Amino acid sequence: MSRVLALLVALAAPWTPLLRAAAARPEHAPCAALALSPAPAPTGRPALQDAPICKKCQSTGRLPCAAHPRSDCLLEDEVLFCSVVADCTACAGAAWVPCTDCDNAPARARIEEKKASVATRRVALEYIDQTMKRPIRKAESKHFVLVWEMDRLKVDKKWLESHELLHLYLKRLEALYDDYCARMQITDKEFAEKFRVFVWQFPQDHHDAGLRFCRQSAKGGVKLMGQTPSYSVCGNKQNFQDDERLHRNIVHSVTHLILSAQRPVAWIGNIKAGWLDEGLAHFFEDRYWDVCDTYCYQEANTNVDFKGGRFRLAVRRMVEEGKFPPTAEVFQQNVDTLTLPMHATAFSYVEFLLNRDAERFNQLVKKLKAKVATRDALREIYGWSVFDFEAQWKSWVLSTYPTK
Ligand SMILES: [Zn+2]
Ligand SMILES: [Zn+2]
Ligand SMILES: [Zn+2]
Ligand SMILES: [Zn+2]
């Protein structure tokens, strides 16, 4: 922003809509003269100072559909489809209607576009209702389809109802996806399909959905890795103490899905690369909470815990005392044979390698998916023997991990 414009913004609060118009059109010199001699509208749109301000819609050209609370309508802007509003006859699932007091063609077009998207997605997602034999609460965003059948939950000391939770969790999933891509330095090109996440209130629904959408059933969460990546979990109080626990479980589990779906599509957890599969899932738990307490292959409700989930502290202590699991052994395990100390160590390996550089980490992922043994992949990509790796990793742990 030029100094003149910045000064005007600071001094002239009542003129700010005008100044914003000037700022939005950098091709016009931002000067006070703009206020006196308006330039002709560049794209057929009336210059802002000439446009009639519609009080009814604040000149947005749209109004929230009267059938829903305004706060609900705002939520809909972030999704392609939401079953909670999809069947509304007044807005056809767009959640907004054109303002009747002004004519705003772009706003009208956006509403029509949303209606069309809702109509298409409704048909595409019908199989979920048919499979569960009843209407299911669900929404779809750019990278996820989320089924949310949970009741209210307390989030940050505030009770949220199921519709808000549906949108909140979809937003959290998109945030995880973005963060995953940023950390791994990859883009949408690495993925072919959307991810499906099912969160149920009742164990019976989770059981049925597990079998039907993930081809397996268990009391804890179940995943379909690779193609049609899907996760089903029963999110009620019997399984998750609170919103944070449930959120963390979903972050961990969906990280597994994303890794398996990343090209080339393959699950590495059962081909002796359990360390990277679990390590990366713990990496994202730790990233947001500094705690890792999700264990996919343990019975639910057994309260598995390793050092209170403080993996960095635990790993540092193991390294200091020389009591860490032998690296060559960790590199041989599948996800279901990793011991708890191995989980913590695997997390640390992933953090060490990914912090070092994402490009080689991705090469490693590709090699492991091609069933190359970790020890051979490390040599090819990093030029390290297992012994070299262990020495580098240990010294990194001792120089970066906390002592308390
Ligand atoms: Zn209006
Ligand atoms: Zn909604
Ligand atoms: Zn409506
Ligand atoms: Zn896991």
Side-chain angles (χ1 to χ4, degrees), residues 209-277:
L211 289 175
R212 294 166 192 170
F213 300 113
C214 305
R215 298 183 210 147
Q216 55 188 310
S217 150
K219 189 168 183 289
V222 291
K223 305 179 207 78
L224 182 61
M225 302 285 203
Q227 239 117 44
T228 335
S230 310
Y231 179 57
S232 175
V233 66
C234 181
N236 69 21
K237 273 262 188 296
Q238 277 72 53
N239 297 306
F240 300 96
Q241 203 177 305
D242 53 25
D243 164 65
E244 183 188 309
R245 289 293 180 106
L246 176 61
H247 184 193
R248 188 151 64 241
N249 173 279
I250 290 176
V251 161
H252 177 107
S253 308
V254 171
T255 301
H256 283 303
L257 294 190
I258 304 178
L259 178 65
S260 75
Q262 186 183 335
R263 290 183 212 276
V265 175
W267 181 40
I268 57 170
N270 60 352
I271 50 171
K272 298 193 173 178
W275 72 270
L276 193 146
D277 195 25

Coordinates of all heavy atoms in Angstrom, one line a residue, residues 209-277:
A209 N -21.1 -50.0 9.0 CA -20.3 -49.2 8.0 C -18.9 -49.7 7.8 O -18.4 -49.7 6.7 CB -20.3 -47.7 8.6
G210 N -18.3 -50.2 8.9 CA -17.0 -50.8 8.8 C -16.9 -51.9 7.7 O -16.1 -51.9 6.8
L211 N -17.9 -52.8 7.9 CA -18.0 -53.9 6.9 C -18.3 -53.4 5.5 O -17.7 -53.9 4.5 CB -19.1 -54.9 7.3 CG -18.7 -55.7 8.6 CD1 -19.9 -56.6 9.0 CD2 -17.5 -56.6 8.3
R212 N -19.2 -52.4 5.4 CA -19.7 -52.0 4.1 C -18.8 -51.1 3.4 O -18.7 -51.1 2.2 CB -21.1 -51.4 4.2 CG -22.1 -52.4 4.7 CD -23.4 -51.8 5.1 NE -24.3 -52.8 5.8 CZ -25.4 -52.4 6.5 NH1 -25.7 -51.1 6.5 NH2 -26.1 -53.3 7.0
F213 N -18.1 -50.2 4.1 CA -17.3 -49.2 3.5 C -15.8 -49.4 3.6 O -15.0 -48.9 2.8 CB -17.6 -47.8 4.0 CG -19.0 -47.3 3.8 CD1 -19.9 -47.2 4.9 CD2 -19.5 -47.1 2.5 CE1 -21.2 -46.8 4.7 CE2 -20.8 -46.7 2.4 CZ -21.7 -46.5 3.5
C214 N -15.4 -50.2 4.6 CA -14.0 -50.4 4.9 C -13.6 -51.9 4.8 O -12.5 -52.3 5.1 CB -13.5 -49.8 6.2 SG -13.9 -48.1 6.4
R215 N -14.6 -52.7 4.6 CA -14.4 -54.2 4.4 C -13.9 -54.9 5.7 O -13.3 -55.9 5.6 CB -13.5 -54.5 3.2 CG -14.1 -54.0 1.9 CD -13.2 -54.4 0.8 NE -13.3 -53.4 -0.3 CZ -12.3 -53.1 -1.1 NH1 -11.1 -53.7 -1.0 NH2 -12.4 -52.3 -2.1
Q216 N -14.1 -54.3 6.8 CA -13.8 -54.9 8.0 C -14.5 -54.3 9.2 O -15.0 -53.2 9.1 CB -12.3 -54.8 8.3 CG -11.8 -53.4 8.3 CD -10.3 -53.3 8.3 OE1 -9.6 -54.0 9.2 NE2 -9.7 -52.6 7.4
S217 N -14.5 -55.1 10.3 CA -15.2 -54.5 11.5 C -14.3 -54.7 12.7 O -13.6 -55.7 12.9 CB -16.5 -55.3 11.6 OG -16.9 -55.4 13.0
A218 N -14.3 -53.7 13.6 CA -13.6 -53.8 14.9 C -14.2 -52.8 15.8 O -14.9 -51.9 15.3 CB -12.1 -53.6 14.7
K219 N -14.0 -53.0 17.1 CA -14.6 -52.0 18.0 C -13.9 -50.6 17.8 O -14.6 -49.6 17.8 CB -14.3 -52.5 19.5 CG -15.1 -51.6 20.5 CD -15.0 -52.3 21.9 CE -15.9 -51.5 22.9 NZ -15.2 -50.3 23.3
G220 N -12.6 -50.6 17.6 CA -11.9 -49.4 17.3 C -12.1 -49.0 15.9 O -12.8 -49.6 15.1
G221 N -11.4 -47.9 15.5 CA -11.6 -47.4 14.1 C -11.0 -48.4 13.1 O -10.1 -49.2 13.4
V222 N -11.7 -48.4 11.9 CA -11.2 -49.3 10.8 C -10.9 -48.5 9.6 O -11.6 -47.5 9.3 CB -12.2 -50.5 10.5 CG1 -12.2 -51.5 11.7 CG2 -13.6 -50.0 10.2
K223 N -9.9 -48.9 8.8 CA -9.5 -48.2 7.6 C -9.5 -49.0 6.4 O -9.2 -50.2 6.5 CB -8.1 -47.7 7.8 CG -7.9 -46.9 9.1 CD -6.4 -46.4 9.1 CE -6.0 -46.2 10.6 NZ -5.7 -47.5 11.3
L224 N -9.8 -48.4 5.3 CA -9.6 -49.0 4.0 C -8.5 -48.2 3.4 O -8.7 -47.0 3.1 CB -10.9 -49.0 3.1 CG -10.8 -49.6 1.8 CD1 -10.4 -51.1 1.9 CD2 -12.1 -49.4 1.0
M225 N -7.3 -48.8 3.2 CA -6.1 -48.1 2.8 C -6.1 -48.1 1.3 O -6.6 -49.0 0.6 CB -4.9 -48.7 3.3 CG -4.8 -48.7 4.8 SD -4.5 -47.1 5.5 CE -3.8 -47.6 7.1
G226 N -5.3 -47.1 0.7 CA -5.0 -47.2 -0.7 C -6.2 -46.6 -1.5 O -6.6 -45.5 -1.4
Q227 N -6.8 -47.5 -2.4 CA -7.9 -47.1 -3.2 C -9.1 -46.9 -2.4 O -9.3 -47.6 -1.4 CB -8.2 -48.2 -4.3 CG -8.1 -47.6 -5.7 CD -6.9 -48.3 -6.5 OE1 -6.8 -49.5 -6.4 NE2 -6.1 -47.5 -7.1
T228 N -10.0 -45.9 -2.7 CA -11.1 -45.5 -2.0 C -10.8 -45.4 -0.5 O -11.4 -46.0 0.4 CB -12.3 -46.5 -2.1 OG1 -12.2 -47.2 -3.3 CG2 -13.6 -45.8 -2.0
P229 N -9.8 -44.5 -0.2 CA -9.4 -44.4 1.2 C -10.5 -44.0 2.2 O -11.2 -43.0 1.9 CB -8.3 -43.3 1.2 CG -8.6 -42.6 -0.1 CD -9.2 -43.5 -1.1
S230 N -10.7 -44.9 3.2 CA -11.9 -44.6 4.1 C -11.6 -45.0 5.5 O -10.8 -45.9 5.8 CB -13.1 -45.5 3.6 OG -13.3 -45.4 2.2
Y231 N -12.2 -44.2 6.4 CA -12.0 -44.5 7.8 C -13.4 -44.4 8.5 O -14.1 -43.5 8.3 CB -11.1 -43.4 8.4 CG -10.8 -43.6 9.9 CD1 -10.3 -44.8 10.4 CD2 -11.1 -42.6 10.8 CE1 -10.1 -45.0 11.8 CE2 -10.9 -42.8 12.2 CZ -10.4 -44.0 12.7 OH -10.2 -44.1 14.0
S232 N -13.6 -45.5 9.3 CA -14.9 -45.5 10.1 C -14.5 -45.6 11.6 O -13.6 -46.3 12.0 CB -15.8 -46.6 9.7 OG -16.9 -46.7 10.5
V233 N -15.2 -44.8 12.4 CA -14.9 -44.8 13.8 C -16.2 -44.5 14.6 O -17.1 -43.8 14.2 CB -13.8 -43.8 14.2 CG1 -14.2 -42.4 14.0 CG2 -13.3 -44.0 15.6
C234 N -16.3 -45.2 15.8 CA -17.4 -44.9 16.7 C -16.9 -43.8 17.7 O -16.0 -44.1 18.5 CB -17.9 -46.1 17.4 SG -19.3 -45.8 18.5
G235 N -17.4 -42.6 17.6 CA -16.8 -41.5 18.3 C -17.4 -41.1 19.6 O -17.1 -40.1 20.2
N236 N -18.3 -42.0 20.1 CA -19.0 -41.7 21.4 C -18.1 -41.7 22.6 O -16.9 -42.0 22.6 CB -20.2 -42.5 21.6 CG -19.9 -44.0 21.9 OD1 -18.8 -44.3 22.3 ND2 -20.8 -44.9 21.6
K237 N -18.7 -41.2 23.7 CA -18.0 -41.1 25.0 C -17.3 -42.4 25.5 O -16.3 -42.3 26.2 CB -19.0 -40.6 26.1 CG -19.1 -39.1 26.1 CD -18.2 -38.5 27.3 CE -18.4 -37.0 27.5 NZ -18.1 -36.1 26.5
Q238 N -17.9 -43.5 25.1 CA -17.3 -44.8 25.6 C -15.9 -45.0 25.0 O -15.1 -45.6 25.5 CB -18.2 -46.0 25.2 CG -19.3 -46.2 26.2 CD -20.4 -45.2 26.1 OE1 -20.9 -44.9 25.0 NE2 -20.8 -44.6 27.2
N239 N -15.7 -44.4 23.8 CA -14.4 -44.6 23.1 C -13.5 -43.3 23.2 O -12.3 -43.5 23.2 CB -14.7 -44.9 21.6 CG -15.4 -46.2 21.5 OD1 -15.0 -47.2 22.0 ND2 -16.5 -46.1 20.8
F240 N -14.1 -42.2 23.3 CA -13.3 -40.9 23.3 C -13.8 -40.0 24.4 O -15.0 -39.6 24.4 CB -13.3 -40.2 21.9 CG -12.7 -41.1 20.9 CD1 -13.6 -41.8 20.0 CD2 -11.3 -41.2 20.7 CE1 -13.1 -42.7 19.1 CE2 -10.8 -42.0 19.7 CZ -11.7 -42.8 18.9
Q241 N -12.9 -39.7 25.3 CA -13.2 -38.9 26.4 C -13.8 -37.5 26.0 O -14.7 -37.0 26.7 CB -11.9 -38.7 27.1 CG -11.9 -38.3 28.6 CD -10.4 -38.3 29.0 OE1 -9.7 -39.2 28.8 NE2 -10.0 -37.1 29.5
D242 N -13.2 -36.9 25.0 CA -13.7 -35.6 24.6 C -13.4 -35.3 23.2 O -12.8 -36.1 22.5 CB -13.0 -34.5 25.5 CG -11.5 -34.7 25.6 OD1 -10.9 -35.2 24.6 OD2 -10.9 -34.2 26.6
D243 N -13.7 -34.1 22.8 CA -13.5 -33.6 21.4 C -12.0 -33.8 21.0 O -11.7 -34.2 19.9 CB -14.0 -32.2 21.2 CG -13.4 -31.5 20.0 OD1 -13.8 -32.0 18.9 OD2 -12.7 -30.6 20.1
E244 N -11.1 -33.4 21.9 CA -9.7 -33.4 21.6 C -9.2 -34.8 21.3 O -8.5 -35.0 20.3 CB -8.9 -32.8 22.7 CG -7.4 -32.7 22.4 CD -6.5 -32.3 23.5 OE1 -6.8 -31.3 24.2 OE2 -5.5 -33.1 23.8
R245 N -9.6 -35.8 22.1 CA -9.2 -37.2 21.9 C -9.7 -37.7 20.5 O -9.0 -38.3 19.8 CB -9.8 -38.1 23.0 CG -9.1 -37.8 24.3 CD -7.6 -38.3 24.2 NE -6.9 -38.1 25.5 CZ -6.6 -39.1 26.3 NH1 -6.9 -40.4 26.0 NH2 -5.9 -38.9 27.4
L246 N -11.0 -37.3 20.2 CA -11.6 -37.8 19.0 C -10.8 -37.1 17.8 O -10.5 -37.8 16.8 CB -13.1 -37.5 18.9 CG -13.8 -37.8 17.6 CD1 -13.7 -39.3 17.3 CD2 -15.3 -37.4 17.7
H247 N -10.6 -35.8 17.9 CA -9.9 -35.1 16.8 C -8.5 -35.7 16.6 O -8.1 -35.9 15.5 CB -9.8 -33.6 17.2 CG -9.2 -32.7 16.2 ND1 -8.8 -31.5 16.5 CD2 -8.9 -32.9 14.9 CE1 -8.3 -30.9 15.4 NE2 -8.4 -31.8 14.4
R248 N -7.8 -36.0 17.7 CA -6.5 -36.5 17.5 C -6.5 -37.9 16.9 O -5.7 -38.2 16.0 CB -5.8 -36.6 18.9 CG -4.3 -37.0 18.8 CD -3.5 -36.4 19.9 NE -3.9 -36.9 21.2 CZ -4.3 -36.1 22.2 NH1 -4.4 -34.8 22.1 NH2 -4.6 -36.6 23.4
N249 N -7.5 -38.7 17.3 CA -7.6 -40.1 16.7 C -7.8 -39.9 15.2 O -7.2 -40.6 14.4 CB -8.8 -40.8 17.3 CG -9.0 -42.1 16.6 OD1 -9.7 -42.2 15.5 ND2 -8.5 -43.2 17.1
I250 N -8.7 -39.0 14.8 CA -9.0 -38.8 13.4 C -7.8 -38.2 12.6 O -7.5 -38.7 11.5 CB -10.2 -37.9 13.2 CG1 -11.5 -38.7 13.7 CG2 -10.4 -37.4 11.7 CD1 -12.8 -37.9 13.7
V251 N -7.0 -37.3 13.2 CA -5.8 -36.8 12.6 C -4.8 -38.0 12.3 O -4.3 -38.1 11.2 CB -5.1 -35.7 13.5 CG1 -3.7 -35.5 13.1 CG2 -5.9 -34.4 13.3
H252 N -4.6 -38.8 13.4 CA -3.7 -39.9 13.2 C -4.2 -40.9 12.1 O -3.4 -41.2 11.2 CB -3.6 -40.7 14.6 CG -2.7 -41.9 14.6 ND1 -1.5 -41.9 15.1 CD2 -2.9 -43.1 14.0 CE1 -1.0 -43.1 15.0 NE2 -1.8 -43.9 14.3
S253 N -5.4 -41.3 12.2 CA -5.9 -42.3 11.3 C -6.0 -41.8 9.9 O -5.7 -42.5 8.9 CB -7.3 -42.7 11.8 OG -7.3 -43.1 13.1
V254 N -6.4 -40.5 9.7 CA -6.5 -40.0 8.3 C -5.1 -39.8 7.7 O -5.0 -39.9 6.5 CB -7.4 -38.7 8.3 CG1 -7.4 -38.0 7.0 CG2 -8.9 -39.1 8.7
T255 N -4.1 -39.5 8.6 CA -2.8 -39.4 8.0 C -2.4 -40.8 7.4 O -1.8 -40.8 6.3 CB -1.8 -39.1 9.2 OG1 -2.1 -37.8 9.7 CG2 -0.3 -39.0 8.6
H256 N -2.8 -41.9 8.0 CA -2.5 -43.2 7.4 C -3.2 -43.3 6.0 O -2.6 -43.7 5.0 CB -3.1 -44.3 8.2 CG -2.3 -44.7 9.4 ND1 -1.0 -45.1 9.4 CD2 -2.7 -44.8 10.8 CE1 -0.6 -45.4 10.6 NE2 -1.6 -45.2 11.5
L257 N -4.4 -42.8 5.9 CA -5.2 -42.8 4.7 C -4.5 -42.0 3.6 O -4.3 -42.4 2.5 CB -6.6 -42.3 4.8 CG -7.6 -42.9 5.6 CD1 -9.0 -42.3 5.4 CD2 -7.7 -44.4 5.4
I258 N -4.0 -40.8 4.0 CA -3.4 -39.9 3.0 C -2.1 -40.5 2.5 O -1.9 -40.5 1.3 CB -3.2 -38.5 3.6 CG1 -4.5 -37.9 4.2 CG2 -2.6 -37.5 2.6 CD1 -4.3 -36.5 4.8
L259 N -1.3 -41.0 3.4 CA -0.1 -41.7 3.0 C -0.3 -42.8 2.0 O 0.4 -42.9 1.0 CB 0.7 -42.1 4.3 CG 2.0 -42.8 4.0 CD1 3.1 -41.9 3.3 CD2 2.6 -43.4 5.3
S260 N -1.3 -43.6 2.4 CA -1.5 -44.8 1.5 C -2.1 -44.4 0.1 O -1.8 -45.0 -0.9 CB -2.5 -45.8 2.2 OG -3.8 -45.3 2.1
A261 N -2.8 -43.3 0.1 CA -3.4 -42.8 -1.2 C -2.5 -42.0 -2.0 O -2.7 -41.8 -3.2 CB -4.7 -42.0 -0.9
Q262 N -1.4 -41.5 -1.4 CA -0.4 -40.7 -2.2 C 0.2 -41.6 -3.2 O 0.6 -42.8 -2.9 CB 0.6 -40.2 -1.1 CG 1.6 -39.3 -1.7 CD 2.7 -38.9 -0.6 OE1 2.4 -38.9 0.6 NE2 3.8 -38.5 -1.1
R263 N 0.4 -41.1 -4.4 CA 0.9 -41.9 -5.5 C 2.4 -42.3 -5.2 O 3.1 -41.5 -4.8 CB 0.9 -41.2 -6.8 CG -0.5 -41.0 -7.4 CD -0.4 -40.3 -8.7 NE -1.5 -39.4 -9.0 CZ -2.7 -39.8 -9.5 NH1 -2.9 -41.1 -9.8 NH2 -3.7 -39.0 -9.7
P264 N 2.7 -43.6 -5.5 CA 1.9 -44.7 -6.0 C 1.1 -45.2 -4.9 O 1.6 -45.4 -3.8 CB 3.0 -45.7 -6.4 CG 4.2 -45.4 -5.6 CD 4.2 -43.9 -5.3
V265 N -0.2 -45.5 -5.2 CA -1.1 -46.0 -4.1 C -0.7 -47.3 -3.6 O -0.6 -48.3 -4.3 CB -2.5 -46.1 -4.7 CG1 -3.5 -46.7 -3.7 CG2 -3.0 -44.7 -5.2
A266 N -0.4 -47.3 -2.3 CA 0.0 -48.6 -1.6 C 0.0 -48.4 -0.1 O 0.4 -47.3 0.3 CB 1.3 -49.1 -2.1
W267 N -0.3 -49.4 0.6 CA -0.2 -49.4 2.1 C 1.2 -50.0 2.5 O 1.4 -51.1 2.1 CB -1.3 -50.1 2.7 CG -1.3 -50.0 4.2 CD1 -0.9 -48.9 5.0 CD2 -1.6 -51.1 5.2 NE1 -1.0 -49.2 6.3 CE2 -1.4 -50.5 6.5 CE3 -2.0 -52.4 5.0 CZ2 -1.6 -51.3 7.6 CZ3 -2.3 -53.1 6.2 CH2 -2.1 -52.6 7.4
I268 N 2.0 -49.3 3.2 CA 3.3 -49.8 3.6 C 3.3 -50.4 5.0 O 4.3 -51.0 5.4 CB 4.4 -48.7 3.5 CG1 4.0 -47.5 4.4 CG2 4.6 -48.2 2.1 CD1 5.2 -46.5 4.6
G269 N 2.2 -50.3 5.6 CA 2.1 -50.8 7.0 C 2.3 -52.3 7.2 O 2.6 -52.8 8.3
N270 N 2.0 -53.1 6.1 CA 2.1 -54.5 6.2 C 3.3 -55.1 5.3 O 3.3 -56.3 5.0 CB 0.8 -55.2 5.9 CG 0.3 -54.9 4.5 OD1 0.9 -54.0 3.8 ND2 -0.7 -55.5 4.0
I271 N 4.1 -54.2 4.9 CA 5.3 -54.7 4.1 C 6.6 -54.1 4.8 O 7.5 -53.6 4.1 CB 5.2 -54.3 2.6 CG1 4.9 -52.8 2.4 CG2 4.1 -55.1 1.9 CD1 5.0 -52.3 1.0
K272 N 6.6 -54.3 6.1 CA 7.8 -54.0 6.9 C 8.2 -52.5 6.9 O 9.4 -52.2 7.2 CB 9.0 -54.9 6.4 CG 8.7 -56.4 6.6 CD 9.9 -57.2 6.5 CE 9.6 -58.6 6.9 NZ 10.8 -59.5 6.7
A273 N 7.3 -51.7 6.6 CA 7.6 -50.2 6.7 C 6.6 -49.6 7.7 O 6.2 -48.5 7.6 CB 7.5 -49.5 5.4
G274 N 6.2 -50.4 8.7 CA 5.3 -50.0 9.8 C 5.8 -48.7 10.5 O 5.1 -47.9 10.9
W275 N 7.2 -48.7 10.6 CA 7.8 -47.5 11.3 C 7.4 -46.2 10.6 O 7.1 -45.2 11.3 CB 9.3 -47.7 11.4 CG 10.0 -47.5 10.1 CD1 10.3 -48.5 9.1 CD2 10.5 -46.3 9.5 NE1 11.0 -47.9 8.1 CE2 11.1 -46.5 8.3 CE3 10.5 -45.0 10.0 CZ2 11.7 -45.6 7.5 CZ3 11.1 -44.0 9.2 CH2 11.7 -44.3 7.9
L276 N 7.4 -46.2 9.3 CA 7.2 -44.9 8.6 C 5.6 -44.6 8.6 O 5.2 -43.5 8.8 CB 7.7 -44.9 7.2 CG 7.7 -43.4 6.6 CD1 8.9 -43.3 5.6 CD2 6.4 -43.1 5.8
D277 N 4.9 -45.7 8.5 CA 3.4 -45.5 8.5 C 2.9 -45.0 9.9 O 2.2 -44.0 9.9 CB 2.8 -46.9 8.2 CG 1.3 -46.8 7.8 OD1 0.9 -45.7 7.3 OD2 0.6 -47.7 8.0

